[in-house]
Amino acid sequence: MQLDTPPRRPAVRAKLKAATCMLLASVAPQGAQGANASSRPTTQIDLAGLLYNERITVFEPTVRFTRLYSSGRSFFGQFTLDTISGASPSGMLPSGQTQTFTSASGRSRSVSADGIPTVNFKDNRFALDGEWQQPLKFFAYTIGGHVSKEKDYQSLGVNAKVSVDFNHKLTTLSLGGGYNQDQVSPVGGTNTGLSPPGFSVSDSSNSKHVSTGLVGLSQVMSRRWLVGVSGSFTSENGYLTDPYKVISVVDRTSGVPVGELAEKRPDSRTRKSVQGDSVYHFTSDLLYLSYRHYWDDWGVRSETVDAKYRHTTSSTRYVEPHVRYYTQTAADFYRFGLIQGQPLPNYATTDYRLGALQTVTAGATFGIRADDDAHEWTVRAEYLGQFGKSEEEEAVGVQSRFDLFPTVNVFTLVVGYRFNR
């Protein structure tokens, strides 16, 4: 019998934030265009509600306020509140027999012989984001800030960007950077990596520092075609381990789990990426294409291809199909489990998000706006399927019979409303 602990889910929250921001961007194109949107001051309010369903359920309402001034300056502020609950894989392996777990409240639940153990959890989070954009004669600058808080994680961040136009404003060079200082305070304390959970625990919070740099170049190729290329560099230092993930220790012959250890990841990570984008404006439709290559010093390599096509069905309606394909390699220290009696590695994780996987996303956005462009409703529905190796080559004994990387099916629904005056 083992004890459930509530896991933190930063990766899920990041995906949800990205999905909601994509919707707000599609609902509010004027806010992204700054001075080019209008010669008179306007105020724009965007509302979005995201529903996310997988092993977990999330509801995330977002409110965004945008003010565009006649001089071209703009300000936006955004408030996000989300509630998240469900079950997350703990990192443990199937045992070949029914396993029983007990929560902190004393409730028991069972996992089938071939089932992957999960941990039930529930959490709430709020976030505030703000940004000010100021155009000058030959360039524009943007400064912004971010704060978010949840039960065991808080984040503070700042960012800035400078954009310079030249070549008769057909070419734009952008330079930007950001810094985040986060605090991780796991419920129940922080376990020492690769030690039995609860064996060595610290009650102090853990710091995490993230610095990001960005350089981008966009070029107007014709009256209808805009292309861009950008590169980013991110340095993370501090506590990068998921405090609630464990890794099973299995018998070298039978493959039956005989114990578990807290996972351990390096305390630094360097990420790099290069992305190319293209936007082509047909007579009334728009085609968006992008490709991104990513690599880091943890051994993860990924490729992303993304395409959206906005088809105008009438003067007030449009539909925008969306497809995306993503593939990545596993981190150098990703393991299905550890073999009893073998020397412990320096780092190890069974978190599938650091394993070799592919995801396919398909969906569409449907938008309706008023004749005077003062109101707009948007609905986005998408499906994401995530696939990985169902069997690990190094699996031993009973583990070779199990699906150690089950397919993940995610459904999202985002409803947005824009009011502009």
Side-chain angles (χ1 to χ4, degrees):
M1 182 178 294
Q2 297 169 352
L3 184 68
D4 285 354
T5 52
R8 178 174 57 89
R9 296 284 290 176
V12 169
R13 300 211 188 270
K15 292 178 182 178
L16 298 180
K17 180 180 178 182
T20 306
C21 288
M22 285 179 64
L23 177 86
L24 290 173
S26 66
V27 174
Q30 292 96 334
Q33 295 172 0
N36 296 328
S38 174
S39 60
R40 61 182 180 83
T42 60
T43 298
Q44 188 168 290
I45 298 175
D46 302 287
L47 307 175
L50 180 145
L51 181 63
Y52 173 100
N53 183 42
E54 177 218 350
R55 280 183 295 254
I56 64 174
T57 300
V58 177
F59 175 64
E60 182 181 271
T62 301
V63 180
R64 177 169 178 168
F65 171 86
T66 305
R67 176 65 174 175
L68 307 175
Y69 299 90
S70 57
S71 61
R73 296 175 297 169
S74 66
F75 167 81
F76 95 83
Q78 180 170 296
F79 174 74
T80 302
L81 174 67
D82 60 52
T83 61
I84 179 171
S85 62
S88 173
S90 65
M92 297 172 57
L93 294 173
S95 66
Q97 58 187 358
T98 301
Q99 301 183 70
T100 301
F101 298 85
T102 302
S103 69
S105 62
R107 294 183 178 180
S108 297
R109 61 186 179 85
S110 297
V111 177
S112 63
D114 60 349
I116 293 179
T118 59
V119 179
N120 292 327
F121 68 99
K122 184 177 183 179
D123 200 2
N124 298 304
R125 169 185 175 269
F126 80 86
L128 284 172
D129 295 88
E131 189 173 272
W132 175 264
Q133 184 181 65
Q134 175 70 62
L136 299 174
K137 188 173 183 180
F138 298 107
F139 68 96
Y141 69 85
T142 303
I143 55 174
H146 162 84
V147 59
S148 66
K149 175 68 177 178
E150 54 194 287
K151 180 164 51 179
D152 56 359
Y153 196 91
Q154 69 176 23
S155 177
L156 295 171
V158 294
N159 61 81
K161 184 179 73 171
V162 175
S163 299
V164 182
D165 294 326
F166 53 95
N167 187 26
H168 303 289
K169 293 189 176 183
L170 298 177
T171 306
T172 302
L173 174 66
S174 299
L175 299 173
Y179 177 78
N180 268 52
Q181 180 170 322
D182 302 346
Q183 290 292 324
V184 186
S185 305
V187 176
T190 305
N191 289 289
T192 299
L194 298 180
S195 67
F199 177 77
S200 179
V201 177
S202 170
D203 293 329
S204 60
S205 61
N206 310 277
S207 297
K208 174 183 173 182
H209 307 277
V210 182
S211 301
T212 302
L214 172 72
V215 58
L217 186 68
S218 64
Q219 176 67 45
V220 177
M221 306 298 292
S222 69
R223 295 178 61 251
R224 297 180 179 270
W225 188 21
L226 174 68
V227 299
V229 62
S230 61
S232 68
F233 175 90
T234 301
S235 175
E236 299 180 63
N237 293 279
Y239 187 75
L240 306 182
T241 295
D242 189 317
Y244 304 116
K245 295 295 185 184
V246 298
I247 183 167
S248 291
V249 179
V250 301
D251 182 89
R252 66 173 61 240
T253 302
S254 68
V256 174
V258 295
E260 60 189 63
L261 302 176
E263 74 153 41
K264 184 180 181 182
R265 306 181 190 183
D267 58 6
S268 65
R269 187 179 189 181
T270 300
R271 306 169 181 255
K272 300 176 184 178
S273 69
V274 176
Q275 178 168 321
D277 298 276
S278 172
V279 181
Y280 191 86
H281 194 300
F282 297 93
T283 303
S284 58
D285 296 350
L286 287 169
L287 174 64
Y288 306 84
L289 297 173
S290 71
Y291 168 78
R292 179 176 182 260
H293 174 68
Y294 165 93
W295 69 102
D296 64 32
D297 59 358
W298 284 10
V300 178
R301 303 287 185 272
S302 73
E303 316 290 335
T304 307
V305 179
D306 199 296
K308 293 185 289 184
Y309 185 85
R310 177 173 292 199
H311 173 59
T312 302
T313 59
S314 71
S315 60
T316 59
R317 299 185 181 188
Y318 69 87
V319 61
E320 185 177 280
H322 173 221
V323 293
R324 178 180 181 269
Y325 176 75
Y326 173 85
T327 181
Q328 76 172 37
T329 61
D332 296 334
F333 51 90
Y334 177 78
R335 303 285 187 272
F336 85 98
L338 301 176
I339 307 299
Q340 186 182 32
Q342 291 187 355
L344 291 177
N346 292 326
Y347 309 104
T349 183
T350 57
D351 191 340
Y352 68 87
R353 294 169 297 182
L354 290 173
L357 57 84
Q358 300 85 42
T359 63
V360 177
T361 304
T365 299
F366 180 69
I368 303 175
R369 64 176 179 272
D371 291 330
D372 59 0
D373 202 33
H375 308 270
E376 183 172 338
W377 284 94
T378 306
V379 178
R380 177 192 296 272
E382 288 191 332
Y383 162 77
L384 181 148
Q386 184 170 272
F387 315 91
K389 288 185 179 180
S390 61
E391 297 181 359
E392 296 291 340
E393 296 176 356
E394 63 269 29
V396 297
V398 68
Q399 298 302 325
S400 62
R401 306 199 328 246
F402 300 137
D403 184 356
L404 302 180
F405 201 125
T407 299
V408 176
N409 297 299
V410 180
F411 298 91
T412 60
L413 178 66
V414 186
V415 179
Y417 172 73
R418 187 200 73 192
F419 172 72
N420 187 35
R421 65 181 181 86

